[in-house]
Amino acid sequence: MKGQPEVDVIVVGAGIIGAACAHALAGRGLRVQVLDDARGGATGAGMGHLVAMDDNPAELALSHYSIGLWRQIREQLPPACAYRNCGTLWLAADGAEMDLARVKQQTLAEHGVAGQLLDGQQLAALEPMLRQGLGGALKVPGDGILYAPATAHWLLSDNPLISRQAATVQGVAGDQVALDDGQVLHAPRVLLANGLGAQALVPALPLRPKKGHLLITDRYPQPLSHQLVELGYAASAHASDGTSVAFNVQPRPTGQLLIGSSRQFDTLDPEVDPTVLAPMLRRAVAYLPPLAQLNGIRAWTGFRAATPDGLPILGQHPQQPGLWLAVGHEGLGVTTAPGSARLLVDLILGERPAIDPRPYLPERFTDLRGDTR
Ligand SMILES: Cc1cc2nc3c(=O)[nH]c(=O)nc-3n(C[C@H](O)[C@H](O)[C@H](O)COP(=O)(O)OP(=O)(O)OC[C@H]3O[C@@H](n4cnc5c(N)ncnc54)[C@H](O)[C@@H]3O)c2cc1C
């Protein structure tokens, strides 16, 4: 027989998504217990670029909504979260790529995201470290950065209605959670927010690991002031197979440069792979030649949880009442954490979300519906 649940929601996973969900649930007065096995995940390995991505309307709606929510709490974030509203420069290598910049500006503007086109000279004046002769850029001033591990920690400690427990979840069934020490916990709602680890608990989840490499430099006096991304980044980010690299560099508030990015499928090997890291760095030096003179002090890898359509899975499991899902945030989960959390809490409380929840619902996947409709 079940005892009386002591909390309203059990959240599995204390990465940025579990933390944002716990924070949003507690903010609505719900008692939340967060379980995490401390193995860590993408949150500790990622870049923390808060970026309005526009590969499809749903991605843009969620990222734009979320960036606005980050901005609303920016004053509350402690310094360790290292939030900066540095903006993004989407770089056009030549005149032809300026056409891509113009299309991107238009798409963003249709969703209320401001962007400003810069010609080659204006770009060089803003970021003199860039190679000469670039076509220009689209500047998106609303984008930013933050340090996700510290932010997850703060979100979990900001409300006394949230309790944390070190625990490895071995199974979930509806509103019940089985731990590896034999305990079974239950609550009116269980929320799976444990990234790639969710697939072991719900095998029908269509998640696939996408490995990424990052490298960080030593500290230097203010080398850059914007996050710099090549316009070809989206093609790399959304490729559904193969290995790709793209130029993506972030100035850390410490004066370090965080250099990405790469994408690789069908591997769970955490080792740094020189055959991927080398082309990634060559590409970075091609855009930022002085990088070749800076010391790289650490390289590492992480795994994004990718879904077939590139959108997260947010909502109640279609076949397991009481089990809620917030997984599959791929390479955008730091950006989209607050919007995902707010949307999920609205669904849990039966309220109307600020953005259309349908593109993210679990039932869009046949395997989760459990039928062949
Ligand atoms: C290289 C790289 C660069 C990235 N860059 C960016 C970026 O610039 N901007 C951006 O927005 N996003 C970026 N991302 C994506 C972002 O980091 C992720 O989408 C986000 O961190 C996912 O968070 P999460 O909470 O869903 O999962 P995770 O961070 O993986 O957290 C899952 C948690 O669940 C726990 N867990 C797992 N299984 C269990 C279990 N059975 N029992 C108990 N606990 C369990 C783990 O210990 C972990 O703490 C990047 C990712 C990578 C890898």
Side-chain angles (χ1 to χ4, degrees):
M1 212 174 95
K2 289 182 182 179
Q4 190 64 24
E6 287 169 8
V7 295
D8 300 302
V9 188
I10 293 173
V11 174
V12 182
I16 194 73
I17 300 298
C21 290
H23 189 258
L25 288 161
R28 301 298 301 274
L30 298 171
R31 295 162 305 165
V32 186
Q33 183 177 20
V34 179
L35 309 176
D36 194 276
D37 63 7
R39 86 175 81 158
T43 300
M47 206 176 204
H49 182 203
L50 307 179
V51 52
M53 287 292 285
D54 61 339
D55 296 290
N56 59 64
E59 183 186 59
L60 183 50
L62 186 60
S63 53
H64 179 42
Y65 176 44
S66 297
I67 288 170
L69 293 173
W70 281 125
R71 211 171 293 133
Q72 280 176 24
I73 62 163
R74 61 183 286 181
E75 302 297 336
Q76 299 164 48
L77 295 172
C81 299
Y83 174 92
R84 296 288 186 281
N85 177 207
C86 61
T88 304
L89 293 179
W90 288 94
L91 305 176
D94 50 30
E97 282 199 359
M98 277 309 281
D99 291 341
L100 293 178
R102 276 184 273 277
V103 172
K104 192 175 189 69
Q105 182 192 35
Q106 179 71 31
T107 309
L108 293 177
E110 282 162 12
H111 287 78
V113 181
Q116 179 193 353
L117 290 170
L118 306 175
D119 64 24
Q121 279 184 348
Q122 291 167 318
L123 175 60
L126 269 188
E127 296 291 3
M129 254 179 96
L130 281 166
R131 84 165 180 256
Q132 292 187 352
L134 290 172
L138 174 67
K139 177 177 172 175
V140 182
D143 288 354
I145 57 171
L146 59 70
Y147 184 53
T151 308
H153 181 77
W154 175 76
L155 287 166
L156 290 171
S157 51
D158 186 48
N159 192 316
L161 290 175
I162 302 173
S163 59
R164 288 189 68 168
Q165 186 181 334
T168 300
V169 174
Q170 215 165 45
V172 289
D175 58 2
Q176 296 206 30
V177 174
L179 305 187
D180 68 343
D181 63 3
Q183 278 189 79
V184 176
L185 309 177
H186 69 99
R189 295 161 195 103
V190 171
L191 170 60
L192 268 198
N194 58 330
L196 273 177
Q199 202 163 32
L201 305 177
V202 178
L205 278 171
L207 300 179
R208 200 173 163 204
K210 243 191 207 185
K211 182 176 175 179
H213 285 72
L214 290 173
L215 179 139
I216 195 156
T217 69
D218 222 333
R219 296 168 183 232
Y220 296 95
Q222 299 290 329
L224 295 174
S225 48
H226 300 83
Q227 176 109 14
L228 304 177
V229 191
E230 67 171 292
L231 272 159
Y233 171 83
S236 163
H238 292 274
S240 54
D241 268 306
T243 298
S244 60
V245 298
F247 172 70
N248 186 350
V249 169
Q250 178 179 111
R252 301 295 310 146
T254 53
Q256 293 168 289
L257 295 180
L258 183 52
I259 304 171
S261 67
S262 72
R263 282 171 168 78
Q264 253 174 305
F265 284 99
D266 302 323
T267 172
L268 275 172
D269 178 359
E271 289 296 307
V272 170
D273 180 347
T275 68
V276 178
L277 186 64
M280 185 181 100
L281 294 179
R282 274 198 297 273
R283 192 145 190 97
V285 171
Y287 275 88
L288 279 178
L291 261 190
Q293 310 308 320
L294 307 188
N295 284 329
I297 58 172
R298 189 165 83 87
W300 66 93
T301 67
F303 295 89
R304 310 165 180 95
T307 61
D309 59 8
L311 294 173
I313 299 173
L314 303 170
Q316 188 164 209
H317 191 301
Q319 297 190 89
Q320 296 195 42
L323 179 61
W324 292 75
L325 304 167
V327 294
H329 287 78
E330 220 206 289
L332 206 53
V334 180
T335 305
T336 56
S340 298
R342 195 69 83 84
L343 190 144
L344 206 89
V345 173
D346 288 337
L347 293 176
I348 285 176
L349 296 179
E351 295 176 4
R352 189 191 165 99
I355 61 170
D356 182 356
R358 286 172 296 182
Y360 323 102
L361 291 176
E363 39 269 52
R364 70 188 192 275
F365 294 113
T366 311
D367 285 354
L368 284 169
R369 287 202 307 267
D371 64 24
T372 50
R373 266 187 288 168

